[in-house]
Amino acid sequence: ILNVEQSPQSLHVQEGDSTNFTCSFPSSNFYALHWYRWETAKSPEALFVMTLNGDEKKKGRISATLNTKEGYSYLYIKGSQPEDSATYLCAFQTGANNLFFGTGTRLTVIP
Amino acid sequence: NAGVTQTPKFRILKIGQSMTLQCTQDMNHNYMYWYRQDPGMGLKLIYYSVGAGITDKGEVPNGYNVSRSTTEDFPLRLELAAPSQTSVYFCASTDRGTDTQYFGPGTRLTVL
């Protein structure tokens, strides 16, 4: 069982603020790091799959970076909007079938 | 595309009852997974399959069984339901080309 830590656990920001959260994972046996967006009463939706140290991915106002040597990934949201309110999950993948999920960061964007 | 579908959406079971949670994907993915999600916990892998006829245990397999007779379907069976199996269950499949996992809408199960 591997430990995947996400911080903070929850976050409230004002509309228009930029924010970021962290996913920490073991620095060994790395295969991939996944980020998901999970809205209440829906299923997790894949945002990014990152495989290389130094990877940076971007989708609209959301971006992510990856440092496999030190075992962390950051997710950034620029100019938060109320529709960004969701739980953001990361998952550390060690092989083709082994994904270990964090408990998520719950983001609330206040209009 | 329907993606990953799960039935039922909700179910209440009595202790000792059995049931099968259905999962179907129409994306021709070989890899499929069952997770459970408990309050305050991350998703935990129950079982996974890398193709028809091939299944293997994940992190929390006790009390569950699976089968994979076709690429599309990956049912999860609870034989003797226990209160500890009260959870939300998610099925997922993976596009091995991109390693992206696609999740179903979940089944909320309560065992009383």
Side-chain angles (χ1 to χ4, degrees):
Chain A
I1 297 174
L2 297 175
N3 217 21
V4 179
E5 302 278 350
Q6 288 189 249
S7 62
Q9 207 168 21
S10 66
L11 191 57
H12 290 73
V13 301
Q14 294 290 331
E15 182 175 353
D17 285 352
S18 295
T19 188
N20 66 85
F21 1 104
T22 306
C23 174
S24 302
F25 52 86
S27 53
S28 57
N29 296 322
F30 179 85
Y31 182 89
L33 193 285
H34 300 246
W35 280 101
Y36 296 87
R37 182 171 179 275
W38 195 356
E39 289 183 73
T40 303
K42 294 188 178 179
S43 52
E45 175 192 350
L47 285 172
F48 306 114
V49 181
M50 307 174 79
T51 55
L52 297 175
N53 185 43
D55 246 0
E56 290 188 29
K57 300 257 181 172
K58 189 174 181 182
K59 185 183 282 190
R61 293 179 291 98
I62 304 176
S63 60
T65 61
L66 177 67
N67 184 322
T68 60
K69 293 183 179 178
E70 296 182 38
Y72 65 84
S73 175
Y74 294 137
L75 188 81
Y76 301 91
I77 302 179
K78 186 177 177 183
S80 303
Q81 299 297 309
E83 57 265 30
D84 295 330
S85 296
T87 296
Y88 291 84
L89 277 182
C90 72
F92 170 66
Q93 185 174 0
T94 61
N97 304 305
N98 296 330
L99 268 80
F100 297 89
F101 284 81
T103 53
T105 292
R106 187 179 183 92
L107 174 67
T108 304
V109 182
I110 304 162
Chain B
N1 250 354
V4 181
T5 57
Q6 291 182 237
T7 57
K9 288 188 178 178
F10 305 95
R11 184 74 185 267
I12 298 174
L13 283 182
K14 293 183 180 177
I15 294 171
Q17 284 186 319
S18 303
M19 78 164 292
T20 300
L21 283 67
Q22 301 291 346
C23 174
T24 300
Q25 53 91 11
D26 62 0
M27 297 174 280
N28 202 33
H29 291 163
N30 284 324
Y31 286 66
M32 295 187 74
Y33 308 80
W34 273 106
Y35 295 94
R36 59 178 287 172
Q37 206 255 334
D38 300 318
M41 307 286 283
L43 289 161
K44 301 286 186 188
L45 182 64
I46 304 171
Y47 269 96
Y48 66 93
S49 170
V50 301
I54 307 169
T55 63
D56 210 344
K57 295 177 181 179
E59 193 180 343
V60 290
N62 292 343
Y64 307 95
N65 276 301
V66 293
S67 59
R68 184 94 181 272
S69 55
T70 66
T71 299
E72 294 78 20
D73 300 308
F74 189 38
L76 178 74
R77 178 117 182 121
L78 283 72
E79 291 294 348
L80 290 169
S84 60
Q85 294 177 303
T86 294
S87 190
V88 183
Y89 292 84
F90 288 95
C91 178
S93 69
T94 293
D95 174 354
R96 290 297 290 142
T98 62
D99 278 324
T100 299
Q101 273 208 345
Y102 296 86
F103 283 82
T107 294
R108 184 176 292 275
L109 176 68
T110 302
V111 182
L112 300 173

PDB file of all heavy atoms in Angstrom, chain B residues 58-83:
ATOM      1  N   GLY B  58      -7.038  -6.645  -6.369  1.00  0.00           N
ATOM      2  CA  GLY B  58      -6.444  -5.354  -6.077  1.00  0.00           C
ATOM      3  C   GLY B  58      -6.112  -5.247  -4.605  1.00  0.00           C
ATOM      4  O   GLY B  58      -5.758  -6.240  -3.957  1.00  0.00           O
ATOM      5  N   GLU B  59      -6.289  -4.062  -4.064  1.00  0.00           N
ATOM      6  CA  GLU B  59      -5.892  -3.800  -2.677  1.00  0.00           C
ATOM      7  C   GLU B  59      -6.881  -4.359  -1.657  1.00  0.00           C
ATOM      8  O   GLU B  59      -6.492  -4.804  -0.580  1.00  0.00           O
ATOM      9  CB  GLU B  59      -5.776  -2.281  -2.507  1.00  0.00           C
ATOM     10  CG  GLU B  59      -5.093  -1.797  -1.261  1.00  0.00           C
ATOM     11  CD  GLU B  59      -5.048  -0.271  -1.211  1.00  0.00           C
ATOM     12  OE1 GLU B  59      -5.238   0.393  -2.255  1.00  0.00           O
ATOM     13  OE2 GLU B  59      -4.830   0.260  -0.100  1.00  0.00           O
ATOM     14  N   VAL B  60      -8.187  -4.372  -1.993  1.00  0.00           N
ATOM     15  CA  VAL B  60      -9.222  -4.762  -1.026  1.00  0.00           C
ATOM     16  C   VAL B  60     -10.199  -5.776  -1.639  1.00  0.00           C
ATOM     17  O   VAL B  60     -11.392  -5.504  -1.767  1.00  0.00           O
ATOM     18  CB  VAL B  60      -9.975  -3.524  -0.482  1.00  0.00           C
ATOM     19  CG1 VAL B  60      -9.096  -2.699   0.424  1.00  0.00           C
ATOM     20  CG2 VAL B  60     -10.514  -2.656  -1.626  1.00  0.00           C
ATOM     21  N   PRO B  61      -9.760  -6.987  -1.980  1.00  0.00           N
ATOM     22  CA  PRO B  61     -10.623  -7.923  -2.706  1.00  0.00           C
ATOM     23  C   PRO B  61     -11.565  -8.765  -1.840  1.00  0.00           C
ATOM     24  O   PRO B  61     -12.504  -9.378  -2.364  1.00  0.00           O
ATOM     25  CB  PRO B  61      -9.612  -8.845  -3.384  1.00  0.00           C
ATOM     26  CG  PRO B  61      -8.463  -8.874  -2.414  1.00  0.00           C
ATOM     27  CD  PRO B  61      -8.403  -7.496  -1.810  1.00  0.00           C
ATOM     28  N   ASN B  62     -11.325  -8.812  -0.513  1.00  0.00           N
ATOM     29  CA  ASN B  62     -12.086  -9.738   0.332  1.00  0.00           C
ATOM     30  C   ASN B  62     -13.571  -9.429   0.329  1.00  0.00           C
ATOM     31  O   ASN B  62     -13.984  -8.293   0.542  1.00  0.00           O
ATOM     32  CB  ASN B  62     -11.548  -9.708   1.765  1.00  0.00           C
ATOM     33  CG  ASN B  62     -10.151 -10.297   1.850  1.00  0.00           C
ATOM     34  OD1 ASN B  62      -9.720 -10.999   0.949  1.00  0.00           O
ATOM     35  ND2 ASN B  62      -9.455  -9.998   2.929  1.00  0.00           N
ATOM     36  N   GLY B  63     -14.372 -10.455   0.105  1.00  0.00           N
ATOM     37  CA  GLY B  63     -15.818 -10.314   0.095  1.00  0.00           C
ATOM     38  C   GLY B  63     -16.397 -10.076  -1.281  1.00  0.00           C
ATOM     39  O   GLY B  63     -17.611  -9.932  -1.421  1.00  0.00           O
ATOM     40  N   TYR B  64     -15.531 -10.067  -2.291  1.00  0.00           N
ATOM     41  CA  TYR B  64     -15.973  -9.782  -3.656  1.00  0.00           C
ATOM     42  C   TYR B  64     -15.450 -10.841  -4.622  1.00  0.00           C
ATOM     43  O   TYR B  64     -14.435 -11.474  -4.374  1.00  0.00           O
ATOM     44  CB  TYR B  64     -15.455  -8.417  -4.128  1.00  0.00           C
ATOM     45  CG  TYR B  64     -15.775  -7.270  -3.216  1.00  0.00           C
ATOM     46  CD1 TYR B  64     -14.856  -6.849  -2.256  1.00  0.00           C
ATOM     47  CD2 TYR B  64     -16.980  -6.586  -3.322  1.00  0.00           C
ATOM     48  CE1 TYR B  64     -15.138  -5.799  -1.410  1.00  0.00           C
ATOM     49  CE2 TYR B  64     -17.268  -5.525  -2.478  1.00  0.00           C
ATOM     50  CZ  TYR B  64     -16.342  -5.141  -1.531  1.00  0.00           C
ATOM     51  OH  TYR B  64     -16.629  -4.087  -0.699  1.00  0.00           O
ATOM     52  N   ASN B  65     -16.161 -10.980  -5.736  1.00  0.00           N
ATOM     53  CA  ASN B  65     -15.667 -11.801  -6.833  1.00  0.00           C
ATOM     54  C   ASN B  65     -15.972 -11.115  -8.148  1.00  0.00           C
ATOM     55  O   ASN B  65     -16.926 -10.331  -8.229  1.00  0.00           O
ATOM     56  CB  ASN B  65     -16.332 -13.182  -6.840  1.00  0.00           C
ATOM     57  CG  ASN B  65     -15.635 -14.134  -5.883  1.00  0.00           C
ATOM     58  OD1 ASN B  65     -14.450 -14.394  -6.005  1.00  0.00           O
ATOM     59  ND2 ASN B  65     -16.374 -14.629  -4.914  1.00  0.00           N
ATOM     60  N   VAL B  66     -15.177 -11.412  -9.159  1.00  0.00           N
ATOM     61  CA  VAL B  66     -15.406 -10.831 -10.481  1.00  0.00           C
ATOM     62  C   VAL B  66     -15.275 -11.913 -11.541  1.00  0.00           C
ATOM     63  O   VAL B  66     -14.752 -12.992 -11.294  1.00  0.00           O
ATOM     64  CB  VAL B  66     -14.396  -9.703 -10.802  1.00  0.00           C
ATOM     65  CG1 VAL B  66     -14.604  -8.488  -9.910  1.00  0.00           C
ATOM     66  CG2 VAL B  66     -12.972 -10.205 -10.710  1.00  0.00           C
ATOM     67  N   SER B  67     -15.759 -11.568 -12.710  1.00  0.00           N
ATOM     68  CA  SER B  67     -15.562 -12.409 -13.884  1.00  0.00           C
ATOM     69  C   SER B  67     -15.437 -11.497 -15.083  1.00  0.00           C
ATOM     70  O   SER B  67     -15.872 -10.342 -15.042  1.00  0.00           O
ATOM     71  CB  SER B  67     -16.732 -13.385 -14.063  1.00  0.00           C
ATOM     72  OG  SER B  67     -17.948 -12.666 -14.196  1.00  0.00           O
ATOM     73  N   ARG B  68     -14.841 -11.985 -16.140  1.00  0.00           N
ATOM     74  CA  ARG B  68     -14.696 -11.163 -17.354  1.00  0.00           C
ATOM     75  C   ARG B  68     -14.804 -12.102 -18.555  1.00  0.00           C
ATOM     76  O   ARG B  68     -13.821 -12.603 -19.083  1.00  0.00           O
ATOM     77  CB  ARG B  68     -13.338 -10.457 -17.357  1.00  0.00           C
ATOM     78  CG  ARG B  68     -13.160  -9.504 -18.540  1.00  0.00           C
ATOM     79  CD  ARG B  68     -13.529  -8.102 -18.191  1.00  0.00           C
ATOM     80  NE  ARG B  68     -13.397  -7.194 -19.312  1.00  0.00           N
ATOM     81  CZ  ARG B  68     -12.259  -6.552 -19.628  1.00  0.00           C
ATOM     82  NH1 ARG B  68     -11.157  -6.749 -18.915  1.00  0.00           N
ATOM     83  NH2 ARG B  68     -12.244  -5.714 -20.643  1.00  0.00           N
ATOM     84  N   SER B  69     -16.040 -12.345 -18.969  1.00  0.00           N
ATOM     85  CA  SER B  69     -16.259 -13.264 -20.079  1.00  0.00           C
ATOM     86  C   SER B  69     -16.201 -12.540 -21.429  1.00  0.00           C
ATOM     87  O   SER B  69     -15.971 -13.168 -22.464  1.00  0.00           O
ATOM     88  CB  SER B  69     -17.589 -13.998 -19.941  1.00  0.00           C
ATOM     89  OG  SER B  69     -18.633 -13.058 -19.800  1.00  0.00           O
ATOM     90  N   THR B  70     -16.391 -11.226 -21.430  1.00  0.00           N
ATOM     91  CA  THR B  70     -16.315 -10.446 -22.663  1.00  0.00           C
ATOM     92  C   THR B  70     -15.465  -9.204 -22.427  1.00  0.00           C
ATOM     93  O   THR B  70     -15.254  -8.802 -21.272  1.00  0.00           O
ATOM     94  CB  THR B  70     -17.701  -9.996 -23.153  1.00  0.00           C
ATOM     95  OG1 THR B  70     -18.245  -9.066 -22.194  1.00  0.00           O
ATOM     96  CG2 THR B  70     -18.659 -11.169 -23.316  1.00  0.00           C
ATOM     97  N   THR B  71     -15.024  -8.563 -23.479  1.00  0.00           N
ATOM     98  CA  THR B  71     -14.277  -7.313 -23.330  1.00  0.00           C
ATOM     99  C   THR B  71     -15.140  -6.222 -22.716  1.00  0.00           C
ATOM    100  O   THR B  71     -14.653  -5.395 -21.947  1.00  0.00           O
ATOM    101  CB  THR B  71     -13.770  -6.844 -24.719  1.00  0.00           C
ATOM    102  OG1 THR B  71     -12.896  -7.837 -25.253  1.00  0.00           O
ATOM    103  CG2 THR B  71     -13.012  -5.522 -24.615  1.00  0.00           C
ATOM    104  N   GLU B  72     -16.439  -6.251 -23.028  1.00  0.00           N
ATOM    105  CA  GLU B  72     -17.319  -5.139 -22.630  1.00  0.00           C
ATOM    106  C   GLU B  72     -17.734  -5.177 -21.163  1.00  0.00           C
ATOM    107  O   GLU B  72     -17.954  -4.141 -20.551  1.00  0.00           O
ATOM    108  CB  GLU B  72     -18.593  -5.154 -23.480  1.00  0.00           C
ATOM    109  CG  GLU B  72     -18.375  -4.866 -24.954  1.00  0.00           C
ATOM    110  CD  GLU B  72     -17.836  -6.059 -25.711  1.00  0.00           C
ATOM    111  OE1 GLU B  72     -17.963  -7.210 -25.234  1.00  0.00           O
ATOM    112  OE2 GLU B  72     -17.239  -5.850 -26.791  1.00  0.00           O
ATOM    113  N   ASP B  73     -17.912  -6.386 -20.604  1.00  0.00           N
ATOM    114  CA  ASP B  73     -18.565  -6.512 -19.295  1.00  0.00           C
ATOM    115  C   ASP B  73     -17.609  -6.962 -18.199  1.00  0.00           C
ATOM    116  O   ASP B  73     -16.800  -7.873 -18.405  1.00  0.00           O
ATOM    117  CB  ASP B  73     -19.727  -7.511 -19.390  1.00  0.00           C
ATOM    118  CG  ASP B  73     -20.765  -7.069 -20.399  1.00  0.00           C
ATOM    119  OD1 ASP B  73     -21.218  -5.920 -20.292  1.00  0.00           O
ATOM    120  OD2 ASP B  73     -21.100  -7.869 -21.293  1.00  0.00           O
ATOM    121  N   PHE B  74     -17.789  -6.367 -17.032  1.00  0.00           N
ATOM    122  CA  PHE B  74     -16.927  -6.718 -15.891  1.00  0.00           C
ATOM    123  C   PHE B  74     -17.777  -6.621 -14.624  1.00  0.00           C
ATOM    124  O   PHE B  74     -17.720  -5.655 -13.856  1.00  0.00           O
ATOM    125  CB  PHE B  74     -15.737  -5.755 -15.830  1.00  0.00           C
ATOM    126  CG  PHE B  74     -14.668  -6.130 -14.843  1.00  0.00           C
ATOM    127  CD1 PHE B  74     -14.308  -7.453 -14.632  1.00  0.00           C
ATOM    128  CD2 PHE B  74     -13.992  -5.152 -14.137  1.00  0.00           C
ATOM    129  CE1 PHE B  74     -13.305  -7.806 -13.739  1.00  0.00           C
ATOM    130  CE2 PHE B  74     -12.979  -5.481 -13.237  1.00  0.00           C
ATOM    131  CZ  PHE B  74     -12.643  -6.798 -13.034  1.00  0.00           C
ATOM    132  N   PRO B  75     -18.609  -7.633 -14.346  1.00  0.00           N
ATOM    133  CA  PRO B  75     -19.480  -7.581 -13.170  1.00  0.00           C
ATOM    134  C   PRO B  75     -18.721  -7.869 -11.882  1.00  0.00           C
ATOM    135  O   PRO B  75     -17.762  -8.645 -11.858  1.00  0.00           O
ATOM    136  CB  PRO B  75     -20.506  -8.681 -13.462  1.00  0.00           C
ATOM    137  CG  PRO B  75     -19.809  -9.630 -14.388  1.00  0.00           C
ATOM    138  CD  PRO B  75     -18.851  -8.810 -15.199  1.00  0.00           C
ATOM    139  N   LEU B  76     -19.205  -7.249 -10.815  1.00  0.00           N
ATOM    140  CA  LEU B  76     -18.649  -7.438  -9.467  1.00  0.00           C
ATOM    141  C   LEU B  76     -19.704  -8.096  -8.607  1.00  0.00           C
ATOM    142  O   LEU B  76     -20.827  -7.596  -8.502  1.00  0.00           O
ATOM    143  CB  LEU B  76     -18.262  -6.083  -8.860  1.00  0.00           C
ATOM    144  CG  LEU B  76     -17.718  -6.105  -7.429  1.00  0.00           C
ATOM    145  CD1 LEU B  76     -16.291  -6.663  -7.400  1.00  0.00           C
ATOM    146  CD2 LEU B  76     -17.728  -4.691  -6.831  1.00  0.00           C
ATOM    147  N   ARG B  77     -19.366  -9.181  -7.962  1.00  0.00           N
ATOM    148  CA  ARG B  77     -20.319  -9.943  -7.174  1.00  0.00           C
ATOM    149  C   ARG B  77     -19.991  -9.846  -5.691  1.00  0.00           C
ATOM    150  O   ARG B  77     -18.829 -10.029  -5.285  1.00  0.00           O
ATOM    151  CB  ARG B  77     -20.305 -11.399  -7.613  1.00  0.00           C
ATOM    152  CG  ARG B  77     -21.217 -12.305  -6.822  1.00  0.00           C
ATOM    153  CD  ARG B  77     -22.305 -12.889  -7.720  1.00  0.00           C
ATOM    154  NE  ARG B  77     -23.210 -13.726  -6.934  1.00  0.00           N
ATOM    155  CZ  ARG B  77     -24.519 -13.493  -6.849  1.00  0.00           C
ATOM    156  NH1 ARG B  77     -25.068 -12.475  -7.500  1.00  0.00           N
ATOM    157  NH2 ARG B  77     -25.277 -14.282  -6.138  1.00  0.00           N
ATOM    158  N   LEU B  78     -21.050  -9.563  -4.911  1.00  0.00           N
ATOM    159  CA  LEU B  78     -20.954  -9.641  -3.456  1.00  0.00           C
ATOM    160  C   LEU B  78     -21.746 -10.866  -3.042  1.00  0.00           C
ATOM    161  O   LEU B  78     -22.952 -10.951  -3.315  1.00  0.00           O
ATOM    162  CB  LEU B  78     -21.574  -8.410  -2.795  1.00  0.00           C
ATOM    163  CG  LEU B  78     -20.791  -7.113  -2.791  1.00  0.00           C
ATOM    164  CD1 LEU B  78     -20.740  -6.497  -4.175  1.00  0.00           C
ATOM    165  CD2 LEU B  78     -21.423  -6.137  -1.797  1.00  0.00           C
ATOM    166  N   GLU B  79     -21.109 -11.800  -2.385  1.00  0.00           N
ATOM    167  CA  GLU B  79     -21.791 -13.052  -2.055  1.00  0.00           C
ATOM    168  C   GLU B  79     -22.568 -12.991  -0.746  1.00  0.00           C
ATOM    169  O   GLU B  79     -23.686 -13.442  -0.670  1.00  0.00           O
ATOM    170  CB  GLU B  79     -20.763 -14.192  -1.975  1.00  0.00           C
ATOM    171  CG  GLU B  79     -20.165 -14.566  -3.312  1.00  0.00           C
ATOM    172  CD  GLU B  79     -21.170 -15.168  -4.281  1.00  0.00           C
ATOM    173  OE1 GLU B  79     -22.304 -15.513  -3.879  1.00  0.00           O
ATOM    174  OE2 GLU B  79     -20.841 -15.289  -5.479  1.00  0.00           O
ATOM    175  N   LEU B  80     -21.967 -12.458   0.282  1.00  0.00           N
ATOM    176  CA  LEU B  80     -22.610 -12.372   1.603  1.00  0.00           C
ATOM    177  C   LEU B  80     -22.395 -10.945   2.101  1.00  0.00           C
ATOM    178  O   LEU B  80     -21.386 -10.649   2.730  1.00  0.00           O
ATOM    179  CB  LEU B  80     -21.980 -13.369   2.581  1.00  0.00           C
ATOM    180  CG  LEU B  80     -22.265 -14.843   2.334  1.00  0.00           C
ATOM    181  CD1 LEU B  80     -21.364 -15.707   3.203  1.00  0.00           C
ATOM    182  CD2 LEU B  80     -23.739 -15.149   2.651  1.00  0.00           C
ATOM    183  N   ALA B  81     -23.344 -10.084   1.787  1.00  0.00           N
ATOM    184  CA  ALA B  81     -23.151  -8.668   2.074  1.00  0.00           C
ATOM    185  C   ALA B  81     -22.969  -8.416   3.576  1.00  0.00           C
ATOM    186  O   ALA B  81     -23.670  -9.012   4.419  1.00  0.00           O
ATOM    187  CB  ALA B  81     -24.335  -7.870   1.549  1.00  0.00           C
ATOM    188  N   ALA B  82     -22.031  -7.520   3.862  1.00  0.00           N
ATOM    189  CA  ALA B  82     -21.751  -7.125   5.243  1.00  0.00           C
ATOM    190  C   ALA B  82     -21.798  -5.602   5.329  1.00  0.00           C
ATOM    191  O   ALA B  82     -21.551  -4.913   4.331  1.00  0.00           O
ATOM    192  CB  ALA B  82     -20.373  -7.628   5.658  1.00  0.00           C
ATOM    193  N   PRO B  83     -22.108  -5.063   6.514  1.00  0.00           N
ATOM    194  CA  PRO B  83     -22.166  -3.602   6.659  1.00  0.00           C
ATOM    195  C   PRO B  83     -20.880  -2.900   6.210  1.00  0.00           C
ATOM    196  O   PRO B  83     -20.928  -1.767   5.714  1.00  0.00           O
ATOM    197  CB  PRO B  83     -22.431  -3.400   8.147  1.00  0.00           C
ATOM    198  CG  PRO B  83     -23.148  -4.644   8.555  1.00  0.00           C
ATOM    199  CD  PRO B  83     -22.536  -5.750   7.742  1.00  0.00           C
TER     200      PRO B  83
END
